[in-house]
Each structure stands twice: as structure tokens, then as C-alpha cells.
Amino acid sequence: MKYFFPILLGRLARIAARARGGGSAYPGYLVLKLLPTFLTDVTKQFDRGVVFVLGSNGKSTTTHMLSDVMRAHGLRVFTNPTGANLPQGIASALLSEVSLFGRLKADVGVIEVDEAFAVELSGLLHPSTVLMLNVQVDQLYRFYETERVADMMTDTAKTSSAHVVTNRDDEYLGPFTDATLDVTRFGASPALVAAAPHGLQNASDFGSGATKGEAGDAQAEVQAITPAGATIRLGAESLDVRLPARGLHYAVDAAAAIQTARVALGTEFDSRRAVAAFASMKPAYGRGERLKIGADEAEFVMFKNAASLQLNLDALTAAPEQVLLAIDEGTPDISWIYDVDFSSLDHVDVVSGAKAWQIALRLEHAGIPIGTVEPEIEKAIDLMKALPAPASKTKNFIVNYEQMMIARKMLGYPDLEKRA
């Protein structure tokens, strides 16, 4: 009975929250109040341990990639698919799969974790593997300095019981080492990074004097971007993988996911199964995801900071024929928008969100024509629907998380836990 009533009440709260049109962290908050040991009790059932995925950008995408690769090896994977990465969000995700008696049928946990809560969660979930993706300028109103975020990640890495996978090309994370842990790295070839319009947007460390050369070699390295995806060197092998979304940053996420699966699975890792997983992989929600909008498709490109917006703009192969750009109060301070190069856009049809007029001012300074400024996203989507059918059959939605959630719901896809 230790688990029955807390889980039952959490489940009922979850059903009520979803009936209102979406997920909620409240069910997880409730079950943790009633049963503080819930996270530890449930996740210690994983025979293959817990993998943490940390990073300023790319956590949800890489968690999704890694989960699919692990499933391709026959493992039952628990993950937090909606990107709810605080303790209550992870608890809510567990409520969707755990029995009323606290049993969970999963072999391994692949969990996206918020950096600020990572050390705390490591004490509850005891990760066997920690993946550190990048340190990029993000949420300065919350973290103040990028170096603090790097410290949060490396402090968490030290709590791993076995493996740490880190980014060779990140000046904060690349030099990480620990004699008690198996530390391996991923990255992209210097030529690819140099050819990217704005590199990989990793933050620079002006204090330690660390250089890429000090980080050691990458066991998984992106060597080429192909029309279908990317070529990744994995040890002595060369893998051609299909990417679920376009861009060098997604290829780097793929290299990170493959290397993490490799160390977590050990001798059971099969590169052919990894390639097969990518061949059928769908995009993580909002990250290159394509949803029906009438006779056409809406392609969602989600961002949360200057780095993610810039990398997604750089990945465009041509200026979009039709585009909506929206940011709301989920991104409180968007002064960073003046650091973004918008030259890959030749116009924006609709600007929306609570920050619409700030975006419009930035686009005006960049000399980019704007069709309409409509702060209400619901009306903005109706305007996009009313535009003539594009020759490309694609209407591009470049949005932050909150606007993506509203747009998906309006297009008939409110459930982030079900794949479109």
C-alpha cells in the first residue's frame, strides 16, 4: 500500500490534467509530496541503469535519438518524451508507465535532466552514464553565467558510476576528465565546423585557457553532411545515418547518441542496429516535425535561445516560401535576438507571440519584410492557413516552446506523448 494510493492519486491528477488539453507537472509534484522516495524506488528497478542527458541545447532531440537506438537493441526504455526535465516532470512521466504497486517494465532509463536539478537528481536516480552535450548562452536571467551551467554539468558527471560522454569541441566540457570514470567524447570534424555559417555556437571559456587540443580525440565524429543525413566515424567504422531533421547540430546530436549507446551497451552494441534505428526515426516533437495543415504541411522549428535559433536558421537550405516567427513570455528576455543573423530569411509572413513587436523591430533593422504582426498565436495560425498554397507544400513555423505547444494543439496534435 506504500505505492498504491500516492500513485492512484497521481494517476487521477494526470488524467484530469490531460483532459484539459495537455500534460502537467502537477501529478508528479503530488506523488512526490505523498511519496518522496518515488523516483528512487521506481528507477532502481532498471537493470541497465539510468542515462542522464544534459546540455544547453539538444537534450530532447538526443534523448529521443538515444532511446530509439537502445530500443533497436531490444531494450525496454523509459524516457521523459515531452522534455519535462525537472523532478516533478520526470515523476509525471513515470506515472504514465508505472503500475499501482510501483512496478515498471523497463530495462533502462534515458532521461533528459535540467542542469540546475541534475546534481540533486543524481542523488535520487544514481546515473550509470552521463552525457554532456554543450554549454551555450541560455537563460541568463536564470543562470547568470554560462560557467555556472558548465559547473552544474561537470559536477553531475562526477556522480556517474561508470561512463561520461562529453563534447570534444566544447571548451568547457571537452577537457573534462576523471580517473575513476570511463570518459569518451564526440564531436564534428574541424572542417565541417569551420564551414558552418556560425559554427556550433558553443560558449567560449575566456578564463581557463582550455583548447580543443587538450580534450583528446572523439570516438564518434561527424565527418560529412549528406543529402540524406550524415557520415559519422565511430572508432574504425564509418556510419551513414539518416537524420530526423536537417542541420549540423542534429548530426552532432546523433554522434553523441551513438557514442552514448556504445558505452552504455558495451559489447552488445551493434552499429548496424544503430543505423537502422535512425533509418526509421521520427523527429522529436517540434524539432523538424512536419504536421498536416490542410492540404499542406507545417514544418516546426523550435528554439529557446540565440544559439538554437541561429543553428536552425543556418540549417535552412533556402529561404522559406512561407514562414511564421513567434516568441512569447516563455522566453522572458529576448535581447539576444540582436545577436542572431537573420539573413537566411528573405521575408516573414506573420510575426506572433507576446514578443511580436520586439521581433518585428529586429527584423526591420535587418531589412527583412514582414507581412503581418499578430501577437495572438491563434489568429496568426489562421492567417498562415489563409495564405495561398505554397509551391513547396510547406508552411514553416519558427517558434519557441510555448508557441509550439499552442500551434500543435490548434492543428490537432495536442498529445506530445503520442507520435504524430
Side-chain angles (χ1 to χ4, degrees):
M1 303 302 286
K2 172 183 177 182
Y3 299 103
F4 185 86
F5 286 109
I7 291 175
L8 177 61
L9 292 173
R11 285 265 190 90
L12 292 173
R14 189 172 187 276
I15 291 169
R18 291 166 68 81
R20 294 198 305 268
S24 169
Y26 178 72
Y29 170 82
L30 177 62
V31 77
L32 289 176
K33 279 293 185 183
L34 296 172
L35 183 61
T37 61
F38 176 71
L39 288 173
T40 303
D41 293 347
V42 173
T43 57
K44 70 181 181 183
Q45 299 174 48
F46 300 140
D47 293 335
R48 301 300 189 97
V50 173
V51 180
F52 274 12
V53 179
L54 311 175
S56 297
N57 283 309
K59 290 191 292 290
S60 295
T61 295
T62 309
T63 298
H64 169 66
M65 290 176 171
L66 177 56
S67 296
D68 276 8
V69 172
M70 300 291 259
R71 291 188 184 107
H73 285 79
L75 298 185
R76 297 170 298 179
V77 178
F78 165 77
T79 188
N80 45 340
T82 67
N85 54 24
L86 303 179
Q88 59 268 29
I90 296 169
S92 288
L94 283 167
L95 282 171
S96 70
E97 299 189 30
V98 72
S99 77
L100 289 173
F101 299 98
R103 300 301 300 170
L104 185 63
K105 294 181 179 179
D107 302 305
V108 64
V110 178
I111 303 176
E112 170 186 341
V113 177
D114 182 278
E115 291 74 35
F117 290 85
V119 172
E120 173 189 338
L121 280 165
S122 69
L124 300 173
L125 306 184
H126 308 292
S128 53
T129 303
V130 173
L131 167 59
M132 301 188 291
L133 290 170
N134 48 55
V135 179
Q136 297 176 338
V137 178
D138 178 36
Q139 299 184 32
L140 294 183
Y141 62 90
R142 179 183 177 209
F143 293 127
Y144 310 116
E145 297 289 343
T146 51
E147 188 173 3
R148 290 188 65 206
V149 182
D151 289 342
M152 292 171 186
M153 291 191 213
T154 55
D155 287 347
T156 305
K158 293 171 186 176
T159 70
S160 169
S161 63
H163 307 288
V164 173
V165 180
T166 189
N167 187 342
R168 177 199 61 191
D169 303 324
D170 189 292
E171 293 186 26
Y172 282 107
L173 304 178
F176 177 83
T177 187
D178 189 309
T180 66
L181 298 169
D182 170 43
V183 180
T184 59
R185 295 173 174 81
F186 64 92
S189 76
L192 278 180
V193 177
H198 300 91
L200 284 172
Q201 292 286 298
N202 293 334
S204 297
D205 179 357
F206 297 106
S208 72
T211 65
K212 293 178 184 178
E214 294 170 352
D217 194 19
Q219 284 71 31
E221 182 182 77
V222 182
Q223 295 194 311
I225 299 294
T226 67
T231 299
I232 297 173
R233 175 183 60 76
L234 186 67
E237 290 187 271
S238 183
L239 310 182
D240 290 321
V241 300
R242 171 192 166 274
L243 297 177
R246 62 177 175 264
L248 176 59
H249 53 309
Y250 286 113
V252 173
D253 290 343
I258 290 172
Q259 176 58 19
T260 304
R262 187 188 189 194
V263 300
L265 291 167
T267 58
E268 296 177 51
F269 176 79
D270 185 337
S271 60
R272 294 169 297 179
R273 293 193 178 195
V275 171
F278 277 92
S280 58
M281 191 179 293
K282 293 181 179 180
Y285 62 89
R287 282 84 169 174
E289 185 181 32
R290 298 177 70 90
L291 304 175
K292 293 296 292 182
I293 179 169
D296 303 310
E297 286 188 316
E299 179 176 337
F300 281 85
V301 172
M302 199 193 82
F303 65 92
K304 66 171 183 170
N305 50 39
S308 58
L309 178 55
Q310 188 66 73
L311 290 170
N312 283 309
L313 290 174
D314 290 349
L316 293 172
T317 55
E321 187 176 353
Q322 293 182 3
V323 58
L324 174 147
L325 178 58
I327 311 177
D328 69 359
E329 294 295 350
T331 305
D333 177 8
I334 66 165
S335 58
W336 49 257
I337 203 167
Y338 285 88
D339 293 328
V340 176
D341 177 5
F342 286 94
S343 60
S344 56
L345 303 177
D346 60 10
H347 77 288
V348 173
D349 294 281
V350 183
V351 176
S352 188
K355 309 288 191 180
W357 290 105
Q358 290 172 263
I359 304 170
L361 181 62
R362 172 68 183 101
L363 294 176
E364 182 182 49
H365 278 292
I368 296 172
I370 298 170
T372 306
V373 178
E374 173 47 71
E376 293 187 32
I377 188 65
E378 294 86 354
K379 292 180 180 179
I381 291 172
D382 286 338
L383 289 171
M384 286 293 287
K385 287 181 177 179
L387 292 175
S392 64
K393 299 295 183 183
T394 300
K395 296 174 183 281
N396 294 79
F397 286 66
I398 303 174
V399 292
N400 68 340
Y401 183 87
E402 291 76 13
Q403 300 291 272
M404 180 271 292
M405 293 278 285
I406 296 170
R408 283 181 107 266
K409 184 176 180 180
M410 285 192 65
L411 296 180
Y413 301 91
D415 193 342
L416 295 182
E417 294 180 11
K418 292 181 180 178
R419 308 311 306 277

